[in-house]
Amino acid sequence: MIISVVSGKGGTGKTSIAINLALALEEGQFLDCDVEEPNAFLFLKPEITNQMDVQVSIPDIDTVLCSGCGACVKACSFHALAQAGNKILTFENICHGCSACWLVCPQKAIKEGKRSIGFIEKGQVKSLECIQGELNLKEPSAVPIIKKMKTLIDQKKTIIIDGPPGTSCPAVEAIKGSDFCLLVTEPTPFGLHDLKVVVEVVKQQGIPCGLVINRSQGDDQIAEEFAQKENLPILLTIPLEKEIAQLYSKGIPFGKVMPQWQHKFKLLLESIKAGDAS
Amino acid sequence: MKIAFSCSGNDLDAMLDPRFGRAANFLIVDEDTLAYKVISNAAISASGGAGIAAAQSILDEGVETLITGNCGPNAFQVLNTAGVKIFTGQSGQIKGLIEDYKKGVFTDSIKEATVQSHSGMGKGL
């Protein structure tokens, strides 16, 4: 079973919830798919056993064979190629690796090349397998890394995915194929605004979902009204509490050292797995 | 010699558009006869690579000089490789700019991009 934790708005507490949920697992996998700024390993502190490169395809042009006909430039839907005189210019950051250019080249002057855009690290904390992706600086697309991470999923296990913020391609890629989405929000107008968008995306994918309200100060009406309207069950409410914030700042998952929360995360996980949470 | 102007209109009265890759049109003007041709910028709504595509479209017209407001790094690389002279920081009506050009006002073509990528995408600018 795959459980994804997403929020739309950044900074609502996705990673906190995801790692506490992962620690409540007897055995399973944890994937930090927020590859533009992964931070779950700061809390889980796994021993890294494995690192792998993530590469994407790019055109590799043989300038001797190239006749400068420009067929590749016309074939590129992403404007990653240009022709200046007889010279073909390649813009690797814009290339989507679609292979059109080397397929259309009448001179067979283009072959498929590769370039690295980031890496994936694997580690272990007891019986929890931890996987984290990291996109290199200045790279525009996180999607290939998330795709590669998801090939490492062992469907027989319970998998917790810490998703990226937002609702663009990386977030969609992260939640794709999930059996359940846990939506984390804060009871503020900003939290609600982005929650609305993420609910739309999750529902469009047909994934059952439930809500966690984080940093509650007692009055959660703004989130509760929306939850009621959308038929979203509120599965957990976490108060704005100094002890939780202090533990976070030290890189300690609060569910690990506060027994009452450890218990609540176990119950939450059980109800999701039993299908009672949506 | 052909000069390209980024613009929103479609004749010599048009105002220069300060953006290059996201300009609506390019007016391609023959310096000697003042005959002109309008090409609409297909890259205006491209999801990416607008500067590159726009640069390619004016190169395909045989342009040797570009007069615009700003030029990003990718468009600059394409045009510079093709030997196009680029003059930025301009504004006003195209017919006035042609007169200026003929008077020899434009002497310093740019040697590097004047703005970063995506500057023409209108984030409240």
Side-chain angles (χ1 to χ4, degrees):
Chain A
M1 181 184 206
I2 305 175
I3 303 165
S4 288
V5 184
V6 284
S7 66
K9 184 182 177 299
T12 59
K14 271 185 304 301
T15 302
S16 279
I17 307 299
I19 53 179
N20 281 307
L21 214 53
L23 292 170
L25 284 174
E26 294 294 321
E27 197 187 355
Q29 283 180 311
F30 174 87
L31 275 70
D32 186 348
C33 286
D34 185 5
V35 305
E36 287 175 74
E37 38 204 5
N39 62 347
F41 278 20
L42 297 175
F43 299 91
L44 293 169
K45 303 180 177 70
E47 193 184 322
I48 310 289
T49 52
N50 204 323
Q51 198 193 74
M52 62 195 99
D53 202 23
V54 180
Q55 297 186 325
V56 291
S57 297
I58 47 158
D60 179 2
I61 303 174
D62 185 329
T63 50
V64 178
L65 288 176
C66 175
S67 68
C69 71
C72 54
V73 177
K74 289 188 186 74
C76 183
S77 307
F78 304 101
H79 312 127
L81 294 166
Q83 181 175 21
N86 275 338
K87 199 172 176 220
I88 304 295
L89 303 175
T90 309
F91 294 86
E92 292 181 352
N93 280 345
I94 292 173
C95 175
H96 283 52
C98 76
S99 75
C101 56
W102 53 87
L103 291 175
V104 299
C105 178
Q107 301 296 319
K108 306 255 175 287
I110 309 179
K111 59 179 201 290
E112 181 177 357
K114 294 279 180 196
R115 73 183 184 97
S116 295
I117 60 159
F119 58 90
I120 294 171
E121 286 178 326
K122 263 170 89 168
Q124 199 82 24
V125 181
K126 292 180 187 159
S127 57
L128 181 71
E129 190 188 355
C130 304
I131 300 167
Q132 175 173 284
E134 192 168 328
L135 184 70
N136 291 342
L137 283 174
K138 291 177 145 184
E139 284 299 335
S141 177
V143 172
I145 297 192
I146 298 172
K147 270 194 176 149
K148 177 96 180 260
M149 289 175 76
K150 291 182 79 175
T151 64
L152 304 173
I153 283 178
D154 178 355
Q155 289 281 2
K156 293 191 292 289
K157 294 182 179 166
T158 301
I159 297 108
I160 308 288
I161 291 179
D162 184 12
T167 42
S168 61
C169 299
V172 174
E173 191 61 42
I175 65 170
K176 207 186 274 176
S178 295
D179 299 294
F180 189 86
C181 275
L182 199 57
L183 313 173
V184 184
T185 191
E186 53 178 36
T188 64
F190 285 135
L192 176 68
H193 178 275
D194 288 7
L195 176 65
K196 282 180 183 168
V197 188
V198 85
V199 165
E200 227 177 289
V201 173
V202 171
K203 287 197 169 170
Q204 197 180 43
Q205 301 241 341
I207 305 169
C209 54
L211 193 62
V212 174
I213 299 176
N214 192 20
R215 288 203 290 273
S216 164
Q217 289 179 279
D219 179 10
D220 303 330
Q221 198 188 351
I222 186 167
E224 285 164 358
E225 275 176 6
F226 176 72
Q228 197 175 18
K229 202 176 105 220
E230 289 289 322
N231 240 338
L232 274 178
I234 297 170
L235 303 173
L236 193 65
T237 299
I238 301 167
L240 180 69
E241 217 171 78
K242 200 169 182 181
E243 190 182 354
I244 294 175
Q246 273 172 339
L247 286 166
Y248 182 88
S249 71
K250 290 176 188 158
I252 303 168
F254 65 95
K256 202 173 167 181
V257 291
M258 295 169 85
Q260 71 277 30
W261 284 107
Q262 192 173 24
H263 181 65
K264 283 183 182 176
F265 280 109
K266 273 210 156 45
L267 288 180
L268 174 61
L269 187 66
E270 277 165 24
S271 74
I272 293 172
K273 285 171 82 172
D276 300 335
S278 56
Chain B
M1 193 178 69
K2 287 180 182 172
I3 309 170
F5 296 85
S6 54
C7 61
S8 42
N10 47 24
D11 56 29
L12 295 172
D13 292 330
M15 301 297 281
L16 195 78
D17 191 320
R19 300 161 303 172
F20 174 66
R22 301 284 175 182
N25 297 328
F26 298 110
L27 206 69
I28 316 283
V29 184
D30 186 303
E31 183 194 344
D32 303 314
T33 65
L34 292 188
Y36 63 86
K37 176 182 174 184
V38 188
I39 56 169
S40 69
N41 180 16
I44 190 168
S45 58
S47 59
I52 299 164
Q56 187 72 64
S57 67
I58 65 165
L59 281 188
D60 292 346
E61 294 293 329
V63 162
E64 288 171 63
T65 300
L66 166 67
I67 295 174
T68 186
N70 280 303
C71 182
N74 291 343
F76 177 79
Q77 197 188 331
V78 176
L79 296 170
N80 191 50
T81 305
V84 173
K85 286 197 170 59
I86 309 165
F87 299 96
T88 58
Q90 301 307 314
S91 60
Q93 256 182 336
I94 291 176
K95 58 183 178 193
L97 289 164
I98 294 175
E99 280 168 29
D100 289 347
Y101 181 81
K102 287 186 151 183
K103 279 186 219 152
V105 171
F106 299 116
T107 51
D108 296 322
S109 62
I110 58 167
K111 301 289 178 275
E112 58 184 23
T114 57
V115 286
Q116 294 185 345
S117 292
H118 307 133
S119 294
M121 289 187 71
K123 287 165 191 153
L125 294 171

